[in-house]
Amino acid sequence: NAGVMQNPRHLVRRRGQEARLRCSPMKGHSHVYWYRQLPEEGLKFMVYLQKENIIDESGMPKERFSAEFPKEGPSILRIQQVVRGDSAAYFCASSEGENYGYTFGSGTRLTVV
Amino acid sequence: AQSVTQLDSQVPVFEEAPVELRCNYSSSVSVYLFWYVQYPNQGLQLLLKYLSGSTLVKGINGFEAEFNKSQTSFHLRKPSVHISDTAEYFCAVSNGGFKTIFGAGTRLFVKA
């Protein structure tokens, strides 16, 4: 029973390029969350999705960032025209419902050069 | 609005000594509380959670936490730590919705 799968583990992008981060939730989990972790900081909520729906995107920057969780396939976090400040670890988590606690993936470490 | 404060950014402790990692929260409604552990270059792993019932919650790896509503605290404890417990620990709070707010983390260093 695989856990939450994130890929790639490491991603290097030049300024101005696009970054696509993928997340396959744990089997049986229909709720997906994305968080960003900067050095010496905690996890900052970005977005919460269910299949084909964005439920809460209050933590997403207004520009360049988008997320989707299609009916088939993984959830995608897309960052367009990346800047150095986007360098961080991005974690995906999934849950089977409210207040069950999250299962986290191993994260994607994005470096913008 | 909810918030979580982890009072210590780093906690050094000798092996086999007891440890307490402190967490305070603020919320205007009922809360659900969690502790997660993160080992280097890995994702977070759920240690324990408080949803309701007994205020003393036992988790994995010998950790436990006590919910104190009057002091709005949820401190994590272990009576005897091992080198392998060296990691970063995150306290988190949810108010029953789906968004969970995390604290800034506490780095536990266990020394031989």
Side-chain angles (χ1 to χ4, degrees):
Chain A
N1 185 14
V4 176
M5 304 301 293
Q6 285 190 253
N7 65 82
R9 287 294 303 274
H10 301 275
L11 182 61
V12 179
R13 284 288 176 266
R14 296 185 185 279
R15 281 178 294 171
Q17 290 184 320
E18 178 179 283
R20 283 196 179 199
L21 288 63
R22 297 176 186 78
C23 169
S24 296
M26 196 164 176
K27 188 175 181 180
H29 289 189
S30 58
H31 305 267
V32 168
Y33 315 83
W34 286 93
Y35 284 79
R36 177 164 61 178
Q37 185 178 36
L38 292 165
E40 308 303 321
E41 296 185 22
L43 278 77
K44 302 299 183 185
F45 170 79
M46 300 182 74
V47 62
Y48 159 48
L49 310 104
Q50 293 182 26
K51 282 286 187 184
E52 299 184 280
N53 284 303
I54 296 174
I55 307 301
D56 183 343
E57 58 181 348
S58 58
M60 289 277 273
K62 293 287 186 279
E63 298 178 351
R64 301 188 297 108
F65 285 72
S66 63
E68 62 179 9
F69 188 16
K71 187 176 180 180
E72 301 290 340
S75 174
I76 305 287
L77 179 68
R78 183 184 293 112
I79 311 173
Q80 296 177 304
Q81 299 174 353
V82 296
V83 301
R84 289 234 171 97
D86 297 332
S87 295
Y90 292 83
F91 288 96
C92 172
S94 70
S95 71
E96 60 182 299
E98 185 175 335
N99 300 318
Y100 281 78
Y102 294 172
T103 300
F104 277 87
S106 297
T108 293
R109 281 151 185 84
L110 173 66
T111 303
V112 180
V113 297
Chain B
Q2 303 166 86
S3 67
V4 179
T5 302
Q6 292 186 242
L7 297 160
D8 307 293
S9 59
Q10 298 186 33
V11 173
V13 63
F14 284 103
E15 194 174 20
E16 297 183 8
V19 70
E20 178 180 83
L21 306 184
R22 298 181 294 168
C23 173
N24 286 93
Y25 67 91
S26 66
S27 176
S28 58
V29 296
S30 297
V31 294
Y32 305 94
L33 296 156
F34 308 84
W35 275 99
Y36 289 83
V37 59
Q38 184 180 30
Y39 298 102
N41 298 316
Q42 294 187 26
L44 280 72
Q45 179 182 2
L46 181 65
L47 268 181
L48 48 79
K49 59 186 176 185
Y50 170 79
L51 303 182
S52 65
S54 173
T55 57
L56 183 63
V57 180
K58 294 190 182 297
I60 62 172
N61 300 341
F63 284 93
E64 63 182 31
E66 186 159 17
F67 171 56
N68 188 319
K69 187 175 182 179
S70 63
Q71 297 187 6
T72 61
S73 68
F74 190 55
H75 301 332
L76 181 70
R77 302 186 183 101
K78 185 169 182 177
S80 176
V81 294
H82 302 289
I83 297 285
S84 59
D85 292 323
T86 294
E88 189 151 19
Y89 292 80
F90 292 92
C91 181
V93 63
S94 166
N95 67 354
F98 288 97
K99 187 164 68 177
T100 298
I101 305 299
F102 287 81
T106 297
R107 289 188 177 174
L108 175 64
F109 294 101
V110 181
K111 301 177 286 185

